[in-house]
Structures are given as C-alpha cells and as structure tokens.
Amino acid sequence: SSAASDVYKRQLQLNAGAEVVMIFDSNAHLLAEEDLNIYLDKTFNALAKEFPNKVGYYAKDGIDYEAIIAKQNDTEINLAGMGLDSNIDIRDYFRKTTNGFVQGNFSEHLLTLPHEEFLPKLDIFINQMSDLTPEDRAGWVCGLGHGVLKTTPQENVKEFVQRIREAF
C-alpha cells in the first residue's frame, strides 16, 4: 500500500541520518474517525515510537486535529510536531500541546492575490501571531498551508519571507 511505502521511505531517511522527517498526508481526511485513529496508531507505532521526536505529521482538508494532538501528547509516541492546514486558526493549537513544533499556516491562496490585496492579509496574519507571546508560540515554524503555488507572484513570496523574519 502507499501508506506502508511512505512509512518505509521515512524509515530509510531516518536511518540515513535525517534529523526530522515530515509525513505529509493528503488523504487522511477521507477516513472515518475510528479508521483515522487506527491509521494514526499504525503509522505512529511504525515510525514515531522507533524514532522518538524525529517524526512530524501534517494532514489537510478538515482532518480531526484533536486526534493528532492526542497522539502528539501521548508520552509513548513522541511526535516531533505537527503541521496545521491554513483553513483553521493556528493560535488555538498552541494551548493544546506543548510537545514539539507547530508548523503553519498562512494560506497559500492569499499569497496568489495581487500584491496590494495580499499585503493587508499578511498584516492580519502577522498581527494575530504577534498577539501571542513568544512563550505561547514557542515551537512555531511559520509556513504556508500547502506550499507555494505556480501562480504565486514572486514579489509576494519575497514580501512574506521578509516581513515574517522582521516580525519574529
């Protein structure tokens, strides 16, 4: 199966010396809650228990992040961290876990807007994240929900990186 193949690839990467690997899961949101928990248990037992604090997990499109946080907070699993989709408010998740990193989550679609429309959206994001204390956002890895799209203006990417670096 594809999931088993992905686990094997991550094991090879970790055995070869990767500091941390990230599982980017595009289809976990299609699983029923019970099946999601079974899938997460198998995936994390195969990787995160064998490689404590070296495996991060990201899923998109309406995934039950509470289930992932429960696994991240499980002292037997020891995830390195989790990524959050840009469709949810990342600020809520800093209070739910203090284990590992939280990655995300500016919308990649906002980055494709014309520059003058993009700038106010970036200001809102920076202001929201600035409202958190450095302690509250400890472990935050700033990023996009799903990455840069091919229609993204280069000017917006440069502005995003520059402004985030200046603010944080």
Side-chain angles (χ1 to χ4, degrees):
S1 84
S2 175
S5 172
D6 285 345
V7 167
Y8 180 68
K9 287 177 195 174
R10 300 304 168 258
Q11 287 172 323
L12 288 174
Q13 291 170 330
L14 288 162
N15 284 328
E19 290 181 35
V20 174
V21 297
M22 191 75 169
I23 299 171
F24 291 95
D25 200 333
S26 299
N27 293 314
H29 67 283
L30 299 173
L31 296 172
E33 184 177 342
E34 182 178 327
D35 294 332
L36 175 64
N37 281 311
I38 292 168
Y39 165 75
L40 292 175
D41 283 341
K42 285 183 179 188
T43 300
F44 296 155
N45 283 332
L47 276 176
K49 283 188 177 180
E50 185 177 346
F51 301 97
N53 300 311
K54 292 188 171 272
V55 178
Y57 184 79
Y58 169 82
K60 65 176 192 160
D61 295 334
I63 189 75
D64 178 9
Y65 287 110
E66 299 299 327
I68 299 165
I69 287 173
K71 304 297 182 199
Q72 186 173 355
N73 288 337
D74 184 331
T75 56
E76 290 185 24
I77 292 179
N78 296 311
L79 279 178
M82 64 182 286
L84 296 169
D85 189 273
S86 60
N87 296 322
I88 59 102
D89 189 339
I90 192 172
R91 295 171 296 169
D92 294 337
Y93 288 87
F94 291 107
R95 293 186 270 302
K96 295 179 180 181
T97 185
T98 57
N99 298 330
F101 63 82
V102 177
Q103 180 177 336
N105 74 347
F106 189 77
S107 171
E108 69 282 5
H109 297 291
L110 295 177
L111 212 55
T112 65
L113 294 172
H115 194 68
E116 62 279 355
E117 293 177 39
F118 156 71
L119 289 175
K121 306 292 186 190
L122 179 57
D123 286 338
I124 290 168
F125 180 72
I126 289 172
N127 288 336
Q128 288 175 335
M129 295 307 294
S130 295
D131 285 344
L132 298 171
T133 68
E135 293 79 20
D136 288 342
R137 63 176 184 268
W140 175 47
V141 178
C142 182
L144 304 176
H146 298 282
V148 175
L149 304 173
K150 62 183 175 182
T151 58
T152 303
Q154 184 177 8
E155 175 185 33
N156 289 358
V157 175
K158 289 173 76 173
E159 183 86 22
F160 178 82
V161 171
Q162 178 185 343
R163 298 272 309 281
I164 292 295
R165 284 182 175 165
E166 287 172 0
F168 305 103

